[in-house]
Amino acid sequence: MKYNSVDEANKAVIDQIVGSAPFLVDVVPAKSKIKEFNEGKVLLHAGPPIKWDDMTGPMQGSCIGASLYEGWAETAEEAEKMLAGGEVTFIPCHHVKAVGPMGGITSPNMPVFVVENRTTGNEAYCIMNEGIGKVLRFGAYSDEVVNRLKWMQDVLGPTIAKALKLTEDGLNLNVMIAKAITMGDEFHQRNIAASLIFLKEISPYIVQVDMDEKERHEVIQFLADTDQFFLNVMMATGKAVFDGARQIEEGTVVTAMCRNGKDFGIRISGMGDEWFTAPVNTPQGLFFTGYSQDDANSDIGDSAITETFGVGGFAMIAAPGVTRFVGAGGFQDALSTSNEMTEICVDQNSNFTIPTWDFQGTCLGIDARKVVETGIEPIINTGIAHKKAGLGQVGAGTVRAPKECFEKALEAYAKKLGLI
């Protein structure tokens, strides 16, 4: 180890995180950035590696929808037969600089946000938010879902790309996040302030784009209606920041948390690309009318990159308005949750201060050692998908990352250092 201690290595990692400069610079078809899409039929998925047979309903439903969207199949039955027959290669989003919400399914022609971390020179990608209800990321694949994806490919993505090219230097995401957290966002279940800030920043450029007026109105209306639109920008931001920090391959800071519906996976700075996994838990929370805990799918999605970044469940105190939506109680419960999460982090991030927390900064750098020492498992705010393919979102809640992942990571790092 080139540092004198694990603490010194962790300090270098969190300095890299704090010094990151993420900018939203483009929206492009995924295949233009991710070369693996040019090697046959390929789909990206959330979480650590998983096979088709082990995927839960929502992820399999998303795969079916993506196959219909790409024109690889005419019917859901034909798509399922193709997917189960091994004709499609599955790759974790995280392995190709990407992150994907819920099922995380990303296919070649889906438009992705491009976030550039100008401190370390790396990029990260995430598909665009489709809105709520019956959407692909929660496993729905009806004509309505596929048609919306086509519109996002043909109209929404190109419009935002053209608008971004009219900006002087892209959109400075640190500035947008710092503003939105003071307006009550925690960036996982509540992104309404950041989404409105995005609309405020991009609208002056959208009105300058040479395009059909009806389609311009559709784009503005979609951005105005989609409260969670910024979530996917935030996910790409987290990925860009932590892939930059991962360039320091020492220490015990958690650099990724994600789930595939079967396994929860983490990476720590000192172990590079290696995943450490344990069976996922099932979220507990509130359900839409007609659904209950019995309908809930197990924990799924790359969106836990927000908690890795110290927001989401860790920043619950920033968004007391969302605590009831995720069934997490009231203001005092939000305060207790954020206070608890400081016990497993290295520091607090002065870039993003929270007024309702007496202007303390967000949690910074989950330390795998502290998770194991305290037994405090990271909390994650999350949507809840129906466990059956095709039905979409049925609620929202919270879930804990299993401690076993952190124990495995520490053991491996201790072996790497020759301590055991």
Side-chain angles (χ1 to χ4, degrees):
M1 188 168 72
K2 64 183 177 182
Y3 299 94
N4 293 321
S5 67
V6 172
D7 285 340
E8 188 175 302
N10 285 348
K11 177 70 165 53
V13 174
I14 65 169
D15 284 349
Q16 193 76 279
I17 297 168
V18 173
S20 296
F23 280 73
L24 179 61
V25 296
D26 209 348
V27 177
V28 299
K31 63 184 180 184
S32 72
K33 288 287 186 180
I34 300 169
K35 62 179 176 52
E36 285 79 0
F37 278 130
N38 300 313
E39 300 168 1
K41 293 187 178 71
V42 173
L43 291 177
L44 309 185
H45 66 77
I50 189 170
K51 299 176 182 176
W52 167 263
D53 289 342
D54 292 329
M55 293 178 183
T56 55
M59 188 176 283
Q60 288 193 340
S62 295
C63 289
I64 291 170
S67 299
L68 296 171
Y69 161 74
E70 290 291 341
W72 296 343
E74 294 294 327
T75 66
E77 292 74 20
E78 187 181 325
E80 188 168 1
K81 184 178 178 182
M82 176 190 67
L83 291 157
E87 293 182 42
V88 175
T89 300
F90 298 108
I91 301 174
C93 294
H94 267 286
H95 290 193
V96 291
K97 305 179 185 177
V99 279
M102 298 308 289
I105 300 304
T106 304
S107 66
N109 287 293
M110 289 181 183
V112 293
F113 291 117
V114 179
V115 172
E116 177 186 352
N117 182 351
R118 291 185 174 155
T119 305
T120 44
N122 61 295
E123 289 184 344
Y125 319 114
C126 186
I127 53 175
M128 307 179 82
N129 193 280
E130 312 158 70
I132 60 172
K134 293 190 183 303
V135 288
L136 188 87
R137 69 182 185 278
F138 282 97
Y141 52 80
S142 63
D143 288 347
E144 174 190 347
V145 174
V146 174
N147 290 337
R148 186 188 305 115
L149 291 174
K150 289 285 187 184
W151 176 78
M152 293 171 74
Q153 171 193 312
D154 296 336
V155 179
L156 181 64
T159 300
I160 294 177
K162 291 174 186 173
L164 285 170
K165 286 179 175 56
L166 295 173
T167 66
E168 186 174 339
D169 207 22
L171 296 183
N172 186 330
L173 294 166
N174 276 345
V175 172
M176 296 169 73
I177 294 166
K179 287 180 181 176
I181 205 162
T182 67
M183 297 164 70
D185 278 356
E186 46 74 77
F187 302 102
H188 198 162
Q189 280 302 323
R190 192 180 193 278
N191 282 276
I192 188 169
S195 298
L196 289 172
I197 290 170
F198 177 81
L199 179 61
K200 169 181 172 290
E201 295 294 328
I202 203 71
S203 292
Y205 300 104
I206 290 178
V207 299
Q208 298 178 52
V209 171
D210 182 17
M211 65 184 296
D212 178 83
E213 285 303 320
K214 178 175 175 293
E215 291 182 341
R216 192 194 318 275
H217 174 77
E218 289 173 353
V219 168
I220 295 291
Q221 192 66 58
F222 182 84
L223 294 177
D225 290 344
T226 308
D227 292 348
Q228 284 283 65
F229 193 76
F230 194 82
L231 169 60
N232 300 41
V233 178
M234 189 67 189
M235 289 176 60
T237 302
K239 177 65 173 168
V241 168
F242 279 86
D243 274 0
R246 284 194 326 120
Q247 294 176 15
I248 299 171
E249 296 186 352
E250 299 290 352
T252 55
V253 173
V254 175
T255 55
M257 297 195 293
C258 60
R259 326 77 109 196
N260 60 26
K262 175 177 177 287
D263 293 319
F264 196 106
I266 71 162
R267 284 170 164 169
I268 65 169
S269 51
M271 295 304 296
D273 293 340
E274 189 169 347
W275 290 109
F276 300 94
T277 64
V280 294
N281 297 314
T282 299
Q284 307 285 316
L286 297 181
F287 290 85
F288 302 159
T289 302
Y291 298 102
S292 69
Q293 189 69 47
D294 291 339
D295 298 305
N297 194 71
S298 47
D299 193 20
I300 190 168
D302 288 335
S303 53
I305 193 71
T306 57
E307 277 77 12
T308 311
F309 202 4
V311 291
F314 282 57
M316 196 91 84
I317 187 59
V322 84
T323 55
R324 296 296 173 93
F325 179 59
V326 297
F331 183 86
Q332 289 302 323
D333 299 291
L335 177 61
S336 297
T337 298
S338 291
N339 284 340
E340 182 187 34
M341 291 303 106
T342 63
E343 296 184 39
I344 57 172
C345 291
V346 176
D347 205 341
Q348 290 177 268
N349 193 338
S350 58
N351 288 335
F352 309 127
T353 57
I354 302 173
T356 46
W357 209 11
D358 199 19
F359 292 94
Q360 294 184 72
T362 51
C363 293
L364 173 60
I366 302 169
D367 187 341
R369 296 176 305 174
K370 294 189 176 187
V371 175
V372 174
E373 288 169 5
T374 64
I376 298 173
E377 296 169 321
I379 193 166
I380 296 164
N381 286 351
T382 186
I384 303 175
H386 198 290
K387 58 188 176 185
K388 292 182 180 177
L391 295 180
Q393 184 176 7
V394 295
T398 61
V399 68
R400 295 273 181 168
K403 189 174 69 171
E404 186 181 349
C405 302
F406 304 87
E407 293 171 339
K408 289 179 177 177
L410 279 190
E411 184 177 344
Y413 190 50
K415 286 181 180 175
K416 176 182 172 180
L417 296 179
L419 300 176
I420 58 175

